[in-house]
């Protein structure tokens, strides 16, 4: 049997399962489900593993790359796909060249 679930609900459920399974996962920014913090409980359950960086995609992705190099598993939700272009230098140029 199948059911219809909103995208934000499916993403919140998947993040909750992964956060329960692996303590190394951290969320960069609290925008992890739908806008305006819907009542899915992620912010309350994992408040200690959510970092609130400044609103800068470049800074968020740069921070996440450093966290991944340190052994963590960061999740960075970029809300608007066109904003990813601002973070592209960190993802495509900086991360691959770190030795």
């Amino acid at each position: 049997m199948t059911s219809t679930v909103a995208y934000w609900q499916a993403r919140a459920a998947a993040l909750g399962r992964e956060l329960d399974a692996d303590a190394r996962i951290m969320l960069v920014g609290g925008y992890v489900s739908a806008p305006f913090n819907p009542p899915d409980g992620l912010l309350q359950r994992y408040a200690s593993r959510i970092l609130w960086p400044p609103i800068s995609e470049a800074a968020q992705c740069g921070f996440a790359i450093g966290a991944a190099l340190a052994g963590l598993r960061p999740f960075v939700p970029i809300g608007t796909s066109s904003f990813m272009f601002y973070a592209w230098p960190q993802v495509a140029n900086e991360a691959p060249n770190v030795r």
Side-chain angles (χ1 to χ4, degrees):
M1 181 176 285
T2 61
S3 64
T4 302
V5 178
Y7 174 77
W8 71 267
Q9 291 170 321
R11 186 170 80 164
L15 273 173
R17 282 192 303 271
E18 291 302 312
L19 285 162
D20 287 336
D22 191 348
R24 296 175 301 154
I25 296 175
M26 57 187 282
L27 305 174
V28 181
Y31 313 104
V32 294
S33 45
F36 313 115
N37 186 18
D40 57 19
L42 285 177
L43 294 178
Q44 292 78 18
R45 287 191 304 175
Y46 305 106
S48 64
R49 292 165 55 189
I50 297 175
L51 297 161
W52 295 92
I55 301 174
S56 166
E57 286 73 19
Q60 291 174 14
C61 286
F63 173 82
I65 290 167
L69 290 170
L72 296 173
R73 296 183 62 202
F75 178 80
V76 182
I78 303 289
T80 305
S81 62
S82 61
F83 290 164
M84 185 61 195
F85 294 114
Y86 295 108
W88 195 246
Q90 284 77 10
V91 175
N93 298 330
E94 299 295 331
N97 293 314
V98 175
R99 291 184 165 76

